[in-house]
């Protein structure tokens, strides 16, 4: 599968305008048969490839762009509607988020871009940034309550470090 974009946690592809974008490899660790949301829209999880975002089956430096929208709820029942729709964080979620972020950075080509979507309903974005140990380049809050954060990272030239070339500094 030679595609330039990886969605490592595609879920129902709700953020995608083109839910079947041919340039993207849609990955998730689960499938969910079609169901109807409370507003009547159809919802399903149908990844191109089943894989866990903490252990991606790709070589280093494979993708130009990675999208990482991991589960953001930890205090929710396993069979709750929101858990089915968005997934659920396990205990030890810090290691899961840190591992998923590291895997997404690993599979990016040098100077590749990682878009990290986080909803801070239960865990603050500040805590997520502390957990992954890397500051985003920039970000944006969105949604009715401004709880969804879009964070942008770039893989540096050397193993996920920031670009340290002298001409790249201010």
């Amino acid at each position: 599968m030679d595609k330039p974009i990886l969605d490592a946690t595609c879920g129902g592809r709700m953020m995608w305008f083109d839910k079947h974008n041919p340039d993207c490899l849609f990955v998730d660790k689960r499938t969910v048969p079609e169901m109807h949301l409370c507003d009547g829209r159809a919802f399903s999880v149908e990844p191109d490839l089943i894989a866990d975002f903490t252990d991606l089956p790709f070589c280093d430096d494979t993708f130009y762009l990675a999208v990482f929208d991991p589960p953001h709820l930890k205090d929710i029942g396993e069979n709750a509607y929101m858990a089915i729709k968005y997934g659920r964080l396990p205990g030890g979620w810090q290691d899961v988020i840190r591992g998923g972020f590291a895997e997404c950075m690993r599979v990016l080509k040098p100077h590749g871009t990682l878009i990290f979507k986080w909803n801070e309903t239960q865990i603050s974005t500040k805590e997520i940034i502390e957990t992954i140990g890397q500051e985003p380049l920039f970000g944006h809050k969105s949604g009715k309550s401004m709880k969804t954060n879009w964070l942008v990272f770039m893989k540096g030239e050397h193993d996920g470090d920031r670009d340290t070339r002298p001409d790249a500094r201010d």
Side-chain angles (χ1 to χ4, degrees), residues 2-89:
D2 189 24
K3 298 192 179 199
I5 304 168
L6 169 68
D7 184 339
T9 51
C10 71
R13 305 180 191 190
M14 293 180 288
M15 74 173 90
W16 286 88
F17 285 88
D18 178 357
K19 295 181 184 323
H20 302 285
N21 187 307
D23 291 327
C24 185
L25 179 63
F26 294 97
V27 175
D28 208 293
K29 73 175 193 175
R30 65 194 180 116
T31 60
V32 174
E34 186 172 306
M35 59 185 282
H36 290 280
L37 302 176
C38 58
D39 63 4
R41 289 179 298 154
F43 173 82
S44 64
V45 177
E46 299 173 2
D48 297 327
L49 178 72
I50 294 178
D52 189 321
F53 64 77
T54 64
D55 187 22
L56 295 169
F58 309 112
C59 296
D60 296 358
D61 307 332
T62 300
F63 299 96
Y64 291 95
L65 173 66
V67 178
F68 185 45
D69 180 14
H72 60 274
L73 300 170
K74 60 181 177 133
D75 299 324
I76 190 167
E78 192 172 323
N79 296 315
Y81 172 77
M82 294 293 279
I84 292 168
K85 188 173 175 185
Y86 296 113
R88 181 174 168 262
L89 283 172

Side-chain angles (χ1 to χ4, degrees), residues 118-133:
W118 185 256
N119 182 289
E120 58 183 7
T121 298
Q122 294 181 357
I123 302 166
S124 73
T125 301
K126 179 181 182 215
E127 192 171 357
I128 290 300
I129 292 170
E130 289 170 359
T131 296
I132 62 175

Side-chain angles (χ1 to χ4, degrees), residues 61-64 105 108-113 154-158:
D61 307 332
T62 300
F63 299 96
Y64 291 95
M105 292 301 275
L108 278 175
K109 292 179 181 288
H111 303 279
T113 303
M154 185 176 78
K155 180 177 181 174
E157 208 168 328
H158 305 286

